[in-house]
Amino acid sequence: MVLRVSAKMRGNDDVDVRAVDGGEHADHSGVDHGRELLDFGEAIAARDENAIRASRDALAAAAGVDAMVDAAAVAANFQRMSRIADASGIPLDKHVMVMTHDIRKRLGAEKFGSARNTDKNRTLLLGVLSPILSGIAIKLMPILLRKKA
């Protein structure tokens, strides 16, 4: 959801979040330097030192050193959060399930191991509410973020 809000704030409504799967959508994500970001993330997840080095250098060359450092920090944070959630079996909160239902469905998130910890009960209400609430959140987040800045 944050990626969608960030893209919308930059005037880009064409972000394809399915690119995170690295499949057919990877080269057309709509995210600046998307291919380099995906390659960097994949290398980190694979723990391949040579691929990390090469993708880090490619990302820094394409997006700048500051962007590469930001991407490394985000990747490290996600690694940390995923390990804690998977190790402790933390399920998604109900409100998170509602707000992210549509994007989890589009991404096929149920294929990941950690999905086994989340209630699989899919109701019609969840499917109907999710796009409405996430649409509202996407419109409100930029307003809230501007007030904090």
Side-chain angles (χ1 to χ4, degrees):
M1 187 178 319
V2 174
L3 175 59
R4 289 189 283 180
V5 171
S6 174
K8 191 168 194 67
M9 288 178 71
R10 297 182 83 208
N12 183 356
D13 290 330
D14 296 326
V15 171
D16 189 348
V17 295
R18 296 172 297 176
V20 300
D21 200 17
E24 64 187 85
H25 306 281
D27 289 323
H28 309 289
S29 66
V31 174
D32 293 343
H33 314 294
R35 168 48 67 192
E36 291 85 1
L37 286 164
L38 286 167
D39 290 346
F40 188 49
E42 286 292 324
I44 291 169
R47 298 179 183 198
D48 179 336
E49 290 184 33
N50 291 328
I52 291 170
R53 191 174 302 108
S55 61
R56 179 185 59 223
D57 293 347
L59 179 57
V65 173
D66 289 345
M68 182 274 299
V69 170
D70 288 347
V74 168
N77 190 45
F78 273 95
Q79 287 278 332
R80 175 194 59 84
M81 289 187 313
S82 306
R83 289 171 190 246
I84 292 169
D86 288 346
S88 60
I90 298 172
L92 289 177
D93 295 331
K94 296 290 183 198
H95 70 280
V96 173
M97 286 184 67
V98 171
M99 295 296 289
T100 62
H101 175 76
D102 63 326
I103 195 161
R104 286 183 296 108
K105 186 175 179 179
R106 283 181 35 206
L107 290 173
E110 277 69 36
K111 69 184 174 191
F112 296 104
S114 58
R116 70 182 170 277
N117 300 320
T118 300
D119 183 11
K120 304 289 189 284
N121 183 16
R122 295 180 194 270
T123 65
L124 179 61
L125 184 61
L126 185 65
V128 170
L129 283 179
S130 179
I132 294 168
L133 293 175
S134 63
I136 292 169
I138 286 171
K139 293 194 183 311
L140 288 177
M141 281 180 148
I143 295 166
L144 296 171
L145 290 172
R146 282 189 203 112
K147 287 183 179 181
K148 288 185 177 185

